[in-house]
Amino acid sequence: MRRVNGFSGQLYRPGDGGYDAERAGHNLAVDHRPAYVVGATGAGDVATAVGRAVAEGLGVGVLATGHGPSVAADARTVLVNTRRMNGVTVDPVARVARVEAGARWRDVLAATTPHGLAPLNGSSPAVGAVGYTLGGGAGLLGRRHGYAADHVRRFELVTATGESVSLGPAAAGDLFWALCGAGQGRFGVVTAMEIDLFPVARLYGGGLFFAADAVGDVARAYAAWTDDVPDGMASSLKLARSPDVPGVPGPLRGRFTAHVRIAWSGRADEGERLVAPLRAVAPRVLDTVGDMPYAEVGTIHAEPTEPVSAHDRGTLLGSLPPRAVETLLALAGPAAGAPFVCELRHFGGAFARPQGPRNAICHREAAFSLFTAVAPDPDPSQDALHEALRPWALGSFTNFLGAGQAATGSYDARTAGRLAALERHHDPEGVFRTRRPLT
Ligand SMILES: Cc1cc2nc3c(=O)[nH]c(=O)nc-3n(C[C@H](O)[C@H](O)[C@H](O)COP(=O)(O)OP(=O)(O)OC[C@H]3O[C@@H](n4cnc5c(N)ncnc54)[C@H](O)[C@@H]3O)c2cc1C
């Protein structure tokens, strides 16, 4: 670790104690090996880091939590680690939060939920709020309110010239439009954002776990059930074998289950009525669905928090007819022996209706997101599932892209062309190197 003039934070070069810890994120499959890491403590450090990198002929990459399987920074790149910039301030009257670049959703929830206000966070409180929002952000209130990127009021950004700018929806040019959904590691380093908050204090939520012999019935019933649930009902279906390790609830350990996750943001009695047809499909191995404070939203998916070498792949599906469900069951059901975790998230509702100013998010008509992950090594069976479901595929959602998956499928041709033109205009030298290629 070195203190360097111009930085309030620290600088780590290969061989320095702390270099390895600073370049590591949640997904160990992304192996950042930058020229050096800047542990930034504020927007001033970020601006200094960008200016210095450009002067040295180096590129710039950004690391917040490392949950995204992003492009790894190489020896020609300076990696800006934002994790020390984790401040969150809330104006409960204006229903807005200012969130710094390194804050995780759990930091935001801790600041907003005492006011009975919820952000449009995702399933894991450990994910970075800014990185998530720059990729669109599809959360558990999304069918009611839309993508997180639909509800950004302002971005504070350090550009490729090291300049700090503040951008709202009315800013000249297309940069704000582009940051909302296509901003990860592209166009600049976002140092903070202001986002809308929503008056949601409680959820009727949790998980319904069904044994392997009920998986087929549950998947078929789930697909039919999602056809006409109200927008306040967020849900997903996960098919996987739980590891046989301490920490996993006893009835699930080592067993293949269908896990239906529920997050209903209306009254608990209505939620109970809506969930009843799913409960009626088969006895549950475990049923944790009930009234809960919004602050506990992260317990619904209960995703692992330990770093893992995950190989992900995502596809947005336009529909999920019975033939698609049978394909899914054949390749990811209990008899398939698939090594990957498979998850279908229900989209639609407000995701499909542009909210607020237009932005770069595409494929809004998606009905489901199919996401798979395998660890620690890639496995071709995962690709085979996505290929088999191709007849129903629309493209991909940026936040659920895997390592090595280009952003090509995330944006329609017109949007991709507009983004490429903006890259040429705002970053003609290609300073921001950890962005996914558009083609
Ligand atoms: C367990 C788990 C649950 C998830 N749940 C959801 C979910 O419910 N909904 C959803 O939409 N997504 C979800 N995701 C995906 C997640 O939103 C993306 O992986 C997101 O990119 C993570 O952002 P991060 O900042 O935490 O990660 P990082 O890997 O640190 O960053 C991701 C990308 O964003 C860029 N970036 C980060 N900060 C900045 C910044 N300040 N300025 C410019 N670029 C930046 C990075 O360079 C990188 O390209 C989940 C992921 C995991 C692993």
Side-chain angles (χ1 to χ4, degrees), residues 27 65 113 205 276 294 296 328 359 417:
N27 192 339
T65 74
T113 52
Y294 194 82
E296 288 172 17
L328 181 83
N359 57 38

Side-chain angles (χ1 to χ4, degrees), residues 25-27 30 32 61-71 79 82 100-105 121-124 126-140 147 157 179 183-186 188-192 301 303-304 312 343 345 347 371 397-401 434-436:
H26 175 83
N27 192 339
V30 182
H32 293 293
V62 196
L63 173 65
T65 74
H67 274 77
S70 52
V71 177
L79 189 63
T82 60
E100 290 183 356
R104 297 175 188 250
W105 279 123
N121 57 288
S123 55
S124 167
V127 160
V130 167
Y132 163 100
T133 304
L134 293 173
L140 302 187
Y147 288 92
L157 180 80
L179 289 172
Q184 290 176 343
R186 219 181 280 284
V189 183
V190 169
T191 52
H301 283 235
E303 277 138 341
D312 307 340
E343 177 185 87
R345 294 193 188 203
F347 273 38
F371 174 79
F397 173 51
T398 304
N399 271 355
F400 292 148
L401 287 170
T434 56
R435 62 191 183 205
R436 285 172 192 277

